Amino acid sequence: MQRLVMIVGGFYSYAAHQITHAAPSHIMSIPGCTPDQYQELAEAEGDGEVEWSRSLLKHYVGVLQAAGALYAIRKGDSQFEAYADNFEAILITSVLGVYHVLVNHVDPQGNCRMGMEVEFLIRKILGHSLHIQELVFSWPMRPWSEEHTRGAFSSLKLPELHLLATRDESMKSRYGARRVEKIFEQQLALVVQSLGFYVVSTRTGEATVDLVCISSDPASPYTFLLEAKSSTHPYELPTDDRRALSEYIDDVRANLTTAPPLAFVLIVGGSAKEGIPAKLNRLELDSGVPIRFTSAQNLASLREALIGPTPATLLKKCILRAKGVVTTQEFQDIHKEVEARTAAQERLVRSFLSGAR
């Protein structure tokens, strides 16, 4: 038994070193053990004398893997950031699992029927697990300068935009079911402002569009209306919405006479139901204004892809070119065009600088 404990302890030390020192892309690997082999081990029925070791290994590897991922996230690696909450839960559960191994195999007086070597190993692994947990949580998730004043764009949470649009349960738990719609609208307003538009919010829940968006580009003056639709189901443009949009388009045309001309209406939601392009087309014919739908994720992805504002002319062209639903491809075209323009500007500046030398 003593020899077995020494071998197991040696493997634990080796595994801890390998996992905690691995590159971010390899932190989920288990030294000397394939994922399938580890899964078989974790699901195997325990064999009396060695069950403590199987259980200890399962939980300790969980500690090491979760800690490695969380450490990478806190060091700025965004590859696993979307799973930060999951990794924190795995880390805490795994540390608790190691503690339960101790409780189940060592009595309050410190006696262990497998011998003092096993007791020492379990206590050592528990101590190391707690130490790793302390190190992970002592590193700030998002460092924040005391000199920085929180403003509107500190509240911009692009990863949440699709979850808000689909009224995901996690968003209901975080903000409350009644506030999801308002939070979704606020996030959309921030995204559109960051793209280079003045945004005026109307009254949520009433028969008006949610946002009036005005281009800040003097070379491309236009207005568009944005309607935020958060729902657990794909959006289908019901009759009430068609009537309300048509009436509000007429109101905007009649009253916003000093604003740039109305170019289009953009409905933003989680996803669109099949058949919505035909409904949008009929509403467009009735109102005389282009009506488009796009997913919230498309706007979030566009904002992530671009540095700085979006040329208003380009955004308008890509939206109007779409047939009913603005797809991911149209937004990717915007990104490609902006990249091409940026590259051209860089070449121009470099040529000027090289000529000045």
Side-chain angles (χ1 to χ4, degrees):
M1 176 61 72
Q2 185 175 3
R3 182 177 177 79
L4 174 62
V5 170
M6 289 177 62
I7 293 173
V8 172
F11 173 77
Y12 285 160
S13 299
Y14 171 69
H17 176 81
Q18 291 294 101
I19 292 178
T20 55
H21 289 76
S25 59
H26 296 104
I27 59 175
M28 300 309 294
S29 62
I30 304 168
C33 182
T34 68
D36 289 340
Q37 290 172 333
Y38 174 70
Q39 192 65 27
E40 291 176 5
L41 175 67
E43 295 176 354
E45 292 294 333
D47 178 4
E49 292 300 317
V50 294
E51 167 61 16
W52 64 271
S53 180
R54 185 193 69 84
S55 184
L56 189 63
L57 174 63
K58 179 180 72 172
H59 296 303
Y60 189 49
V61 168
V63 170
L64 296 174
Q65 288 183 325
L70 289 169
Y71 184 72
I73 292 169
R74 281 164 164 75
K75 291 289 285 184
D77 189 294
S78 60
Q79 180 181 358
F80 302 108
E81 189 172 2
Y83 308 102
D85 291 343
N86 303 71
F87 283 126
E88 288 182 359
I90 292 171
L91 176 60
I92 294 170
T93 302
S94 298
V95 171
L96 187 61
V98 174
Y99 171 73
H100 284 156
V101 173
L102 176 69
V103 171
N104 292 336
H105 294 88
V106 179
D107 64 25
Q109 286 72 42
N111 300 315
C112 177
R113 62 186 178 85
M114 276 82 70
M116 60 181 295
E117 295 88 355
V118 171
E119 178 201 349
F120 176 78
L121 177 63
I122 296 174
R123 290 188 184 278
K124 191 74 173 178
I125 295 300
L126 176 59
H128 191 221
S129 298
L130 292 170
H131 176 65
I132 290 175
Q133 179 178 254
E134 180 185 7
L135 287 177
V136 167
F137 289 114
S138 64
W139 191 277
M141 185 71 170
R142 291 181 178 85
W144 193 286
S145 169
E146 293 181 1
E147 302 299 320
H148 180 72
T149 302
R150 188 179 182 89
F153 286 103
S154 296
S155 303
L156 182 57
K157 300 174 183 177
L158 294 175
E160 289 187 1
L161 204 59
H162 174 72
L163 300 176
L164 289 166
T166 57
R167 299 186 64 83
D168 189 84
E169 288 299 325
S170 61
M171 296 295 98
K172 293 180 184 178
S173 298
R174 173 168 293 187
Y175 300 114
R178 294 183 178 180
R179 296 190 65 228
V180 167
E181 182 180 3
K182 185 61 179 178
I183 298 295
F184 180 45
E185 177 192 316
Q186 291 172 349
Q187 289 294 306
L188 284 175
L190 289 174
V191 172
V192 176
Q193 287 176 51
S194 73
L195 294 175
F197 291 81
Y198 300 112
V199 178
V200 179
S201 177
T202 61
R203 288 166 289 186
T204 305
E206 297 189 14
T208 66
V209 294
D210 297 311
L211 304 173
V212 178
C213 311
I214 302 172
S215 168
S216 61
D217 184 356
S220 181
Y222 67 86
T223 301
F224 77 90
L225 307 179
L226 190 150
E227 178 77 348
K229 291 296 181 183
S230 60
S231 173
T232 55
H233 305 291
Y235 185 65
E236 58 180 337
L237 191 62
T239 302
D240 288 347
D241 284 2
R242 292 201 298 271
R243 185 182 302 112
L245 276 173
S246 183
E247 291 175 356
Y248 199 71
I249 288 171
D250 291 339
D251 287 343
V252 168
R253 282 173 159 171
N255 298 312
L256 292 183
T257 54
T258 58
L262 181 61
F264 58 87
V265 176
L266 184 63
I267 303 171
V268 181
S271 62
K273 193 170 184 178
E274 187 176 350
I276 197 174
K279 292 182 178 181
L280 292 171
N281 186 55
R282 286 196 296 272
L283 179 58
E284 181 173 331
L285 292 174
D286 293 340
S287 64
V289 176
I291 314 287
R292 300 291 183 267
F293 176 92
T294 195
S295 71
Q297 187 56 54
N298 279 337
L299 282 180
S301 298
L302 178 67
R303 179 65 282 168
E304 291 280 18
L306 299 180
I307 300 175
T310 303
T313 304
L314 181 58
L315 181 65
K316 177 183 174 181
K317 181 179 74 173
C318 289
I319 287 178
L320 294 182
R321 187 173 58 203
K323 296 181 179 180
V325 176
V326 188
T327 65
T328 303
Q329 185 59 54
E330 271 85 28
F331 284 100
Q332 288 176 347
D333 290 343
I334 295 175
H335 182 208
K336 291 176 183 177
E337 179 65 25
V338 171
E339 281 191 326
R341 294 183 184 187
T342 302
Q345 289 291 336
E346 289 177 353
R347 289 193 297 269
L348 181 62
V349 171
R350 288 196 182 101
S351 67
F352 285 148
L353 292 176
S354 60
R357 291 183 183 136

